Amino acid sequence: MRERQLPQPGPFFVNSTPPLDLNGLAQLADRLANAAATETLRRFRDPALSTDDKDKGEGFDPVTAADQAAEAAMRAVLATERPDDGILGEEEAQTHGTSGLTWVLDPIDGTRAFILGLPVWGTLIALDDGQTGRVGIIDQPFLGERYCGIWDGTSSRAWLHRGGTEQPLVTRKGVELAEAGCFTTDPFLFQGPEWSVFERLRTGVRLMRYGIDCYAYGLLALGHVDLVVETGLQAYDIAAHIPIIRAAGGVVTNWQGGDCRWGGQVVAAGSEALHAEALELLNSA
């Protein structure tokens, strides 16, 4: 999941050679989500599921057999269908490709929710072409909700696949900061000077809620949540959300308004106006 060490731009994002068949690659991402769901669903709410601690007593960073099996299943599909692409995943070593494309995988974002039986975890899948995220999926297979997005600047689209149907994803507009519903995963991830910023945010919005990891970004794209503000993210925590939110009409950046696909401090908003208000608040302290 999340760690306090902030990631830096890495060599796993290198420029690809256009043009890309984004529809075909989105279909492949869909197959990756199906492969992961087979592994996660048969282990979700299984009382026999064991949990290991990647922090080894320094904190609690859980990993389960479901995390490991789901990433392995996605990597197996990519090894067959896209062997030249790079892979950056949470549970296995980075694979450097030669195509210029990188798949960014988080088999279970929200492992803590997963082990407690809460259906707000998700599988995150992103495709990055070295310039930006082009394809993203947030999959919550227990609820049967798959949030998808393709970002190419001209024919971008975002949709929710649920119950055999698809509906467009459109973020909510016309909401000011004082009226906004905001999520963050854990307020205690804000440390040092960030804590005072978080306190100003918490008291500056209408409603602040906690703890649903990637699901908050899906709800933002769906138009139910206005703002998500987080810190300490890794690339695999945020990469999938970027094409979905942008294609749905929202904005997602770091706290300085720049590229956030390597993680760190992230702010996602349903509109440009709300995003500007949030940036002003986040940078005022």
Side-chain angles (χ1 to χ4, degrees):
M1 269 189 59
R2 295 168 170 77
E3 303 172 5
R4 283 301 305 163
Q5 182 180 0
L6 299 184
Q8 298 299 317
F12 45 86
F13 293 139
V14 295
N15 291 333
S16 68
T17 302
L20 298 175
D21 177 12
L22 291 181
N23 287 318
L25 291 165
Q27 291 171 5
L28 173 56
D30 207 53
R31 295 195 291 277
L32 297 181
N34 291 339
T38 298
E39 302 299 333
T40 55
L41 285 179
R42 67 190 185 92
R43 294 174 172 89
F44 183 51
R45 294 182 176 172
D46 180 358
L49 181 69
S50 61
T51 302
D52 293 325
D53 183 3
K54 289 189 285 187
D55 276 352
K56 303 299 182 185
E58 296 296 322
F60 182 55
D61 188 9
V63 62
T64 71
D67 299 80
Q68 296 163 338
E71 183 165 323
M74 290 189 285
R75 285 176 177 265
V77 174
L78 290 173
T80 300
E81 299 201 34
R82 301 284 306 185
D84 296 329
D85 294 350
I87 303 174
L88 175 67
E90 181 173 13
E91 306 304 339
E92 297 186 28
Q94 176 185 336
T95 300
H96 294 276
T98 58
S99 69
L101 299 179
T102 300
W103 294 91
V104 187
L105 309 175
D106 191 345
I108 300 179
D109 182 80
T111 302
R112 292 167 177 83
F114 187 93
I115 63 179
L116 292 174
L118 301 172
V120 292
W121 52 275
T123 295
L124 304 183
I125 300 164
L127 178 69
D128 193 286
D129 69 353
Q131 299 178 19
T132 191
R134 296 299 183 184
V135 174
I137 284 182
I138 306 167
D139 189 42
Q140 213 312 305
F142 187 78
L143 298 178
E145 296 181 357
R146 184 168 295 175
Y147 299 83
C148 310
I150 294 174
W151 176 257
D152 66 2
T154 55
S155 57
S156 303
R157 64 188 183 99
W159 66 97
L160 170 62
H161 185 85
R162 177 172 54 189
T165 64
E166 290 185 2
Q167 70 178 89
L169 291 172
V170 180
T171 59
R172 182 160 54 191
K173 304 294 193 295
V175 177
E176 297 182 355
L177 188 68
E179 302 167 337
C182 182
F183 264 99
T184 194
T185 296
D186 184 346
F188 294 106
L189 290 174
F190 298 92
Q191 297 182 8
E194 293 177 338
W195 180 255
S196 63
V197 175
F198 168 72
E199 279 292 286
R200 294 189 65 183
L201 176 69
R202 183 183 63 81
T203 58
V205 298
R206 172 172 290 177
L207 180 63
M208 173 69 76
R209 301 300 295 166
Y210 310 102
I212 63 171
D213 297 281
C214 62
Y215 198 62
Y217 294 88
L219 293 177
L220 189 148
L222 190 57
H224 290 294
V225 172
D226 304 299
L227 195 63
V228 181
V229 178
E230 303 203 84
T231 188
L233 302 190
Q234 301 292 330
Y236 42 73
D237 294 317
I238 187 62
H241 307 321
I242 295 172
I244 299 172
I245 290 171
R246 294 178 74 185
V251 184
V252 53
T253 70
N254 62 25
W255 288 12
Q256 290 72 46
D259 189 356
C260 67
R261 72 195 206 277
W262 296 285
Q265 299 170 325
V266 170
V267 52
S271 70
E272 291 185 5
L274 179 58
H275 179 260
E277 272 197 278
L279 284 188
E280 183 177 2
L281 183 148
L282 292 170
N283 289 285
S284 63

